[in-house]
Amino acid sequence: MRKNRLQYVWILACLWCTSPAQAELKTAINRAADALNDQVIAWRRDIHAHPELSNREFRTAALVAEHLQSLGMQVQTGVAHTGVVGLLTGGRPGPVVALRADMDALPVVEKTGLPYASTVRGEYEGAEVGVMHACGHDNHVAILLGVATVLSGLRDQLPGSVKFIFQPDEEGAPKGETGGARQMIEEGVLENPSVSAIFGLHIGQQGLAGSASFRERGFMASAQRFDILIKGRQTHGARPWAGIDPVVIGAQIVSALQTIVSRQIDITAAPAVVTVGAFHAGIRNNIVPETAQLSGTIRTFDPLVRKQIHEKITRIATAVGQAQGAEVVVEIDPGVPVTYNHPRLTAKMVPTLREVYGRDKVYISERVTGAEDFAFYQEQVPGFFFFIGGRPLDVLPEEAIPNHSPFFYVDEGALVPGVKALSQLAADYLAAGGLGATSD
Ligand SMILES: [Zn+2]
Ligand SMILES: [Zn+2]
């Protein structure tokens, strides 16, 4: 597309379109974040040394609540078990933006040898386990406490409000319990006042400390389990016509499901996987059994594709069964949705991320097959989730230690940039008056 002269003038003008007040706020945020370096590291080490499993984040929640209260925020505790929500009302009217940090640790015995390494033991689903912040959520909490401190100090200059969501149980609740982002939403975390956008981050060694990465639209996978029960009619293996054979029907269903990804989904838009991982039927060679059971997993990166796959699995399995007189019951676990970065919000906020990290330190990520329960918020309101690098300079990319490893650690130089990133994202979002009305 050719640009006319007027458009060039507009583009040049816009290079300086940050108002003096906004520029002043940006400088103040950076200065306040730099001054917090030691405090944020101290919080992080304290939380790291006292990790708590999902839905058991009592000490962490108390520490968070106490700090938010000391900042003069309106604080709600006990949300979705141990969640803490703080509301910072800015000095001027405007939209409400939410920032989220997850607080839970994992049943892992820490082997980093760090001076503040965890020696905590806990109980997980009846077994005694070590407890470790092996996913780096200690960093997320410390960063968000830093952001709360920075923005509270500048509240008079904020045109809108910031809701701080300290969420329990990102990793998944123990058997028989509920929790996490979904329960926080059910308990109204996005209401009163109504949140219009949400930001969150995750640390890892994929990127160097001082860098960030993101992906527009489908960023991290949605994962669901499905179960298919085929009810036939038992008979002698020598007289199959006297019954309905669920083994043959099950085999046909497995084959038919292969056509979903290969023939019925536009995989140029986003990849998808449908895997049948288990097929259980029968006990003896000469009995046609009563039932067969299939179960599998679905991975998708696009909410529409996810919905289509659910419909197709149900339709195909039911129709193949019906064609032979069997009853088929399909159950698809809701699982975790796609971590879906709203395209217009992403486009609007990425310049802020580049300002904080530098243009050449913000990368477009590959799709990530892991799942994140931040996705539940993104189903409700436009959201932007990004990764921050935590790999020390002397560690090569191929030596990067994955999250959930007992050796996982991060370079604490990543913390202050994280504080700046979330603070500036919130400030810039509020200064822009929110996302605007255009629908996507
Ligand atoms: Zn994790
Ligand atoms: Zn995590």
Side-chain angles (χ1 to χ4, degrees):
M1 190 178 68
R2 288 173 66 105
K3 293 185 173 66
N4 62 34
R5 193 167 296 188
L6 208 70
Q7 280 172 308
Y8 278 118
V9 171
W10 183 86
I11 288 164
L12 276 174
C14 201
L15 289 176
W16 293 282
C17 67
T18 305
S19 71
Q22 212 181 331
E24 203 179 297
L25 181 59
K26 280 177 187 291
T27 312
I29 287 174
N30 285 340
R31 205 175 294 146
D34 284 329
L36 273 179
N37 183 54
D38 293 351
Q39 173 69 77
V40 175
I41 289 175
W43 275 324
R44 186 255 156 168
R45 291 185 180 189
D46 176 52
I47 298 163
H48 189 89
H50 300 93
E52 295 170 299
L53 292 169
S54 306
N55 282 349
R56 311 284 185 272
E57 306 88 340
F58 305 112
R59 182 185 184 275
T60 314
L63 186 154
V64 167
E66 197 187 326
H67 184 65
L68 298 186
Q69 270 151 5
S70 79
L71 296 171
M73 276 188 210
Q74 198 183 315
V75 179
Q76 217 186 330
T77 57
V79 185
H81 308 298
T82 56
V84 182
V85 183
L87 182 67
L88 176 67
T89 309
R92 289 183 279 146
V96 182
V97 65
L99 305 175
R100 174 272 212 170
D102 40 8
M103 303 193 288
D104 53 333
L106 287 161
V108 172
V109 178
E110 177 154 3
K111 293 180 183 164
T112 60
L114 290 166
Y116 50 90
S118 161
T119 54
V120 173
R121 310 284 299 173
E123 195 214 291
Y124 181 70
E125 296 187 349
E128 203 212 317
V129 292
V131 185
M132 175 191 176
H133 267 297
C135 203
H137 299 181
D138 49 335
N139 301 280
H140 306 165
V141 177
I143 286 171
L144 198 56
L145 287 172
V147 176
T149 314
V150 168
L151 294 182
S152 296
L154 300 164
R155 77 170 71 199
D156 293 346
Q157 297 169 56
L158 294 178
S161 299
V162 186
K163 205 178 252 193
F164 293 89
I165 301 177
F166 289 86
Q167 181 207 303
D169 180 34
E170 189 284 322
E171 299 283 359
K175 260 187 218 126
E177 294 183 28
T178 57
R182 192 202 286 185
Q183 192 171 340
M184 289 207 88
I185 295 164
E186 283 166 8
E187 295 189 14
V189 74
L190 298 176
E191 302 302 327
N192 298 321
S194 214
V195 167
S196 63
I198 185 163
F199 302 124
L201 56 73
H202 206 299
I203 200 164
Q205 282 206 8
Q206 312 90 324
L208 273 180
S211 72
S213 61
F214 72 97
R215 188 177 184 90
E216 189 197 55
R217 300 179 195 267
F219 181 16
M220 298 177 73
S222 164
Q224 283 90 38
R225 172 195 169 126
F226 65 89
D227 288 279
I228 300 173
L229 174 66
I230 303 147
K231 290 182 193 161
R233 193 164 68 235
Q234 189 162 322
T235 180
H236 198 295
R239 292 174 50 82
W241 55 86
I244 296 170
D245 187 346
V247 176
V248 171
I249 296 167
Q252 288 174 350
I253 291 175
V254 173
S255 294
L257 293 181
Q258 306 311 307
T259 64
I260 296 177
V261 174
S262 71
R263 287 295 174 270
Q264 302 185 47
I265 293 290
D266 178 2
I267 50 165
T268 62
V273 176
V274 176
T275 293
V276 177
F279 188 148
H280 298 290
I283 43 164
R284 249 194 83 90
N285 68 305
N286 59 355
I287 300 173
V288 170
E290 180 82 13
T291 60
Q293 268 180 304
L294 308 177
S295 67
T297 186
I298 307 161
R299 302 290 156 124
T300 50
F301 290 91
D302 181 278
L304 183 65
V305 171
R306 172 181 179 239
K307 188 165 168 274
Q308 288 173 340
I309 289 182
H310 289 194
E311 286 165 5
K312 289 174 196 298
I313 287 177
T314 307
R315 194 188 64 208
I316 288 172
T318 312
V320 170
Q322 264 172 3
Q324 307 195 43
E327 192 193 326
V328 173
V329 181
V330 180
E331 276 178 16
I332 302 177
D333 185 280
V336 177
V338 182
T339 305
Y340 186 84
N341 279 332
H342 187 280
R344 208 152 46 80
L345 181 67
T346 305
K348 203 174 180 116
M349 300 328 300
V350 165
T352 303
L353 209 56
R354 291 200 170 120
E355 244 174 54
V356 172
Y357 285 93
R359 278 199 83 77
D360 56 339
K361 300 268 172 58
V362 177
Y363 307 97
I364 309 285
S365 171
E366 298 295 329
R367 291 183 180 89
V368 177
T369 48
E372 214 332 312
D373 89 342
F374 187 79
F376 285 107
Y377 301 112
Q378 290 172 308
E379 278 194 327
Q380 305 296 320
V381 295
F384 177 58
F385 192 74
F386 58 102
F387 288 165
I388 60 171
R391 192 172 78 245
L393 272 172
D394 59 354
V395 177
L396 296 170
E398 57 270 29
E399 293 166 353
I401 297 168
N403 297 56
H404 293 203
S405 158
F407 298 101
F408 181 74
Y409 72 103
V410 297
D411 184 330
E412 290 171 328
L415 295 174
V416 163
V419 174
K420 290 179 183 174
L422 283 181
S423 303
Q424 301 283 13
L425 285 169
D428 284 355
Y429 177 83
L430 295 181
L435 191 54
T438 320
S439 63
D440 296 87

